[in-house]
Each structure stands twice: as C-alpha cells, then as structure tokens.
Amino acid sequence: GAVVSQHPSRVICKSGTSVKIECRSLDFQATTMFWYRQFPKQSLMLMATSNEGSKATYEQGVEKDKFLINHASLTLSTLTVTSAHPEDSSFYICSARQLDTQYFGPGTRLTVL
Amino acid sequence: SQKIEQNSEALNIQEGKTATLTCNYTNYSPAYLQWYRQDPGRGPVFLLLIRENEKEKRKERLKVTFDTTLKQSLFHITASQPADSATYLCALAYYNAGNNRKLIWGLGTSLAVNP
C-alpha cells in the first residue's frame, strides 16, 4: 500500500521558535498533500491543501503566515509553524492523495512550552 | 446544516462477534465514502472506499455498505479480535455548490473488543 512518512514524530520547543514538519510520500508521487491538526477526542481538522508547484490553499480561520506550507516536489511537503505559542500545541498529521484516497503519515506531536 | 455523524458512544463487544459502526450524513451530494482506523497517537490508516453507486464492499473481515437513500454507511468487522480495538473514522467526499470535491470527517467511534 501507499506509505507516507512524517518527521519528526514528536517535538518540544520554546514559545517564539519555529518548527518544521516534513511529510513524504515514499512509494508514490503526490500532486496534492493535506495538512490536518487534531485535538484530543476531536475530528481531523483540515488546515490546508498543498499542491506541488503552487501556493497552498488554506481553510478559513487558518493563518497562512503562521503555518507556512511548501510543496516543492511530488514527494515532499513541509509545514512550518512560525513563532509557535502554547496554543499551537497539537497533533499535526499530513496526508498524500493517490487517486481518490488519502494516505496519512503517522503524525507529529507538537508541544510548545 | 451539513454534517456527518458517527455513533458517539463507544462500542464494546465480545471477541468473535460482529462489530457494526454507523456513519450518517445529511444534505450532501456524495461521491464516495471512506473508512479509516486510527490508533491513539497515530495517523489514520485507510481501510475501504465505497462509491455512491456501490451498495457493498468487502475486504477480508471488513464489509462496508452505502445507502444513499438512507444517507448512511455501515461498517462491519466480522469475527472481531482484540487487535481490532481502535477508533474508526468515516470520511465522506462530496461535491459542493461550486462542484468542487470536498472531504468531511466524522468524529469517529471507539471500538473495544474484549477477549
């Protein structure tokens, strides 16, 4: 099956620093990747859709200057949380689409102190 | 308002029994529906996709049905095992007013299979 990796799996940082999360499709090329965040006991919340070679499309209420997305190749998308604050602490999950199915990475637990 | 609902209560069943999970939706023009499994602290894992013109799909011990008249999908796990314990998410792909395809996620149903 399609495999998506995500790195790092866990990160703890100080308030005000920036954190970069990488998402890679390992055995397929993905024109479209997605970034989600998930709070405990809640559904997946789509943050943005990342398209290779073009600007990401952000969902309403998601600050594009705070959550920078780059999709420079067909196998790699990155999410940078800039000037992170404690309220940004969450579980961030990426997915890559192959045909009609999204395949998810294992997620990144971000804790901002 | 448009929404997708899954059993909010956790489901506890005995090993060997069939688990049945429900996903209901309203006011969507569906394209297809997917079921995923999510373990604590992990990303969702794709299980099955069923299209709006399909009634049933099977994969090993899993079976999904899709009734667009009832606006409901049922997800069955037969001969359940403790290893099947997880949260199961349904996701509905639909076309919005601008004919763009969107995906909406349910909150998930927690399944516990007791040995």
Side-chain angles (χ1 to χ4, degrees), chain B residues 20-101:
Chain B
T20 298
L21 284 67
T22 305
C23 181
N24 295 300
Y25 63 93
T26 60
N27 300 332
Y28 291 111
S29 178
Y32 55 85
L33 188 142
Q34 298 173 313
W35 284 88
Y36 287 79
R37 168 187 174 137
Q38 187 174 25
D39 291 281
R42 304 288 294 174
V45 174
F46 171 71
L47 297 174
L48 281 168
L49 180 152
I50 186 165
R51 299 193 182 279
E52 54 88 23
N53 60 349
E54 297 177 311
K55 295 292 186 187
E56 182 180 296
K57 206 72 158 305
R58 290 176 185 258
K59 179 183 174 184
E60 297 171 352
R61 293 185 296 112
L62 309 180
K63 184 178 85 170
V64 172
T65 62
F66 197 11
D67 188 327
T68 54
T69 301
L70 290 177
K71 298 186 186 299
Q72 181 182 78
S73 174
L74 298 178
F75 177 77
H76 306 273
I77 306 174
T78 58
S80 60
Q81 305 165 359
D84 296 326
S85 300
T87 295
Y88 291 86
L89 306 172
C90 71
L92 180 74
Y94 68 99
Y95 294 98
N96 66 5
N99 208 34
N100 298 307
R101 191 172 62 190

Side-chain angles (χ1 to χ4, degrees), chain A residues 4-9 91-94 104-109, chain B residues 38 41-44:
Chain A
V4 176
S5 71
Q6 202 171 326
H7 178 80
S9 59
F91 189 53
Y92 292 85
I93 319 173
C94 72
F104 285 84
T108 297
R109 172 72 59 192
Chain B
Q38 187 174 25
R42 304 288 294 174

Side-chain angles (χ1 to χ4, degrees), chain A residues 6 21 23 32-39 42-50 57 59 62 67 69 77 79 81 88 90-97 100-110, chain B residues 32 34 36 38 43-44 89-92 101-106:
Chain A
Q6 202 171 326
I21 304 170
C23 179
T32 305
M33 290 185 172
F34 303 87
W35 287 95
Y36 292 84
R37 66 190 291 183
Q38 187 177 34
F39 293 104
Q42 293 194 21
S43 182
L44 295 170
M45 188 193 83
L46 179 65
M47 298 174 66
T49 301
S50 167
T57 303
E59 295 299 303
V62 178
F67 298 99
I69 291 172
S77 176
L79 167 70
V81 183
D88 298 323
S90 188
F91 189 53
Y92 292 85
I93 319 173
C94 72
S95 70
R97 188 166 68 196
D100 289 332
T101 298
Q102 289 186 35
Y103 295 93
F104 285 84
T108 297
R109 172 72 59 192
L110 171 64
Chain B
Y32 55 85
Q34 298 173 313
Y36 287 79
Q38 187 174 25
L89 306 172
C90 71
L92 180 74
R101 191 172 62 190
K102 297 285 187 181
L103 196 66
I104 183 167
W105 292 85

